[in-house]
Amino acid sequence: MPRRRLPWDYGVRNLFRRPSRSALTLAGLSIVVLLVLVVVGFIRGLEASLAATGQPNVVLVYSMSSGADIENSAIPSRTPALLSASVAGVREQHGVKYVSPELYLGTRIKTSGQEKGGLGLVRGVTTATPLVRQQVQIIEGTWPGPGEVLAGRLAHSKLGCDKASLAIGEMVAFDGHNWKVSGIFTANGAAFESELWCPLDELQAALKRQDLSLVAVTMGSSEAAADVDIFCRERIDLELKAVAEIDYYADLQKHYRPVRMLGWIVVCLVAGSGVFAGLNTMYGAVVGR
């Protein structure tokens, strides 16, 4: 006569004696595990995104008065030309220097599938930007032309819309202008993937601005980054600040540390409540017998 595994068979049989209690217990445990995975995924995703964005040989030049918020930065439009002419050590290839003037802002973006739109990030770029942002690769479509935008592969998540709303050929609207999606790009997990890129001059015309938010410069070596800092200190009339990109995003890691700590506290509370709820359920099941 075959042996019966009494502990296992007994436990399985008792699951179906009170199906409602078993279903509620399973639902509670699933919710606890899901919440833990979501919060941990958010924390790890934030850390990985910021870590993947910075490059050691890229220097960001922006307004000294903006602090660490590039969105509030405003620097003269002649800054890229001054950097190219005055700073030694800027990387150059075939007579083209790796200097990227950019206009960066957060605004409300409306897609075809939204009524009110969502808050998103827009970056005005030039054809020199891919030289500096070397982790960016176009996976679908083409570089944006007049009246067009290039969408990051995670921009739809930032806007809270369907992925199809940012497909090639779809229209988006922000700051009173309509833009056509010309392509999709990826950036190896960097924060750029949540942005929309459009031609710098087009964005300046739409915003009626002639200034820039920042200039990203690729140096021949990480040691040459000090030359940019010297230039900013000498040109006090421009009120510029130079920070290595990798250091800038490392500071953002520190800035978001309270958010990450709050996330870990939530994980501990949820996991702890799940443990005590499980113990209480087990105790109630035993007492009920």
Side-chain angles (χ1 to χ4, degrees):
M1 184 174 180
R3 295 182 179 180
R4 298 185 61 186
R5 294 174 294 180
L6 287 179
W8 173 259
D9 293 340
Y10 185 76
V12 172
R13 287 202 309 269
N14 277 289
L15 289 176
F16 299 99
R17 288 185 177 180
R18 294 181 176 85
S20 58
R21 174 183 291 180
S22 299
L24 290 174
T25 301
L26 178 62
L29 293 175
S30 300
I31 291 174
V32 169
V33 173
L34 179 62
L35 289 175
V36 171
L37 291 177
V38 168
V39 177
V40 172
F42 167 76
I43 298 172
R44 292 305 187 190
L46 178 63
E47 294 174 349
S49 176
L50 293 177
T53 305
Q55 298 184 69
N57 61 332
V58 174
V59 180
L60 303 181
V61 179
Y62 54 97
S63 175
M64 184 182 299
S65 59
S66 64
D69 191 357
I70 292 181
E71 291 185 36
N72 296 328
S73 174
I75 61 177
S77 58
R78 69 180 188 276
T79 304
L82 293 175
L83 287 169
S84 299
S86 305
V87 177
V90 177
R91 187 176 178 182
E92 182 177 355
Q93 187 174 12
H94 303 300
V96 179
K97 292 194 175 183
Y98 287 35
V99 178
S100 173
E102 300 174 2
L103 185 58
Y104 182 73
L105 73 150
T107 185
R108 185 166 294 276
I109 301 173
K110 183 179 179 181
T111 63
S112 58
Q114 293 178 308
E115 295 182 359
K116 297 182 179 180
L119 293 177
L121 299 172
V122 179
R123 189 182 296 265
V125 296
T126 66
T127 53
T129 302
L131 299 176
V132 179
R133 313 297 190 183
Q134 295 185 355
Q135 65 267 60
V136 172
Q137 295 181 348
I138 299 177
I139 56 177
E140 295 182 43
T142 60
W143 184 259
E148 295 179 337
V149 296
L150 188 66
R153 69 179 184 90
L154 297 179
H156 66 279
S157 180
K158 175 69 175 179
L159 297 176
C161 65
D162 295 332
K163 188 176 182 179
S165 299
L166 292 178
I168 297 175
E170 293 292 328
M171 301 298 295
V172 298
F174 55 87
D175 292 306
H177 289 71
N178 295 321
W179 309 77
K180 182 180 179 181
V181 179
S182 67
I184 309 296
F185 72 89
T186 182
N188 294 331
F192 304 128
E193 293 184 346
S194 62
E195 302 174 357
L196 297 181
W197 286 14
C198 63
L200 176 61
D201 54 350
E202 293 271 332
L203 185 59
Q204 287 177 323
L207 299 175
K208 297 180 179 179
R209 291 179 55 176
Q210 296 300 320
D211 58 350
L212 302 170
S213 297
L214 72 148
V215 179
V217 184
T218 300
M219 308 302 293
S221 62
S222 57
E223 292 78 10
D227 296 337
V228 184
D229 185 60
I230 293 174
F231 168 81
C232 294
R233 292 178 183 274
E234 291 178 348
R235 293 301 302 267
I236 58 176
D237 57 310
L238 299 176
E239 297 184 350
L240 300 176
K241 180 181 181 180
V243 178
E245 189 177 42
I246 192 171
D247 294 336
Y248 175 81
Y249 285 100
D251 289 338
L252 282 185
Q253 289 271 24
K254 297 178 181 179
H255 177 74
Y256 286 117
R257 182 176 296 172
V259 177
R260 299 187 346 251
M261 291 298 298
L262 179 62
W264 285 119
I265 292 174
V266 171
V267 168
C268 293
L269 290 176
V270 172
S273 63
V275 170
F276 283 109
L279 292 175
N280 185 58
T281 301
M282 294 173 63
Y283 177 79
V286 174
V287 172
R289 294 171 191 167

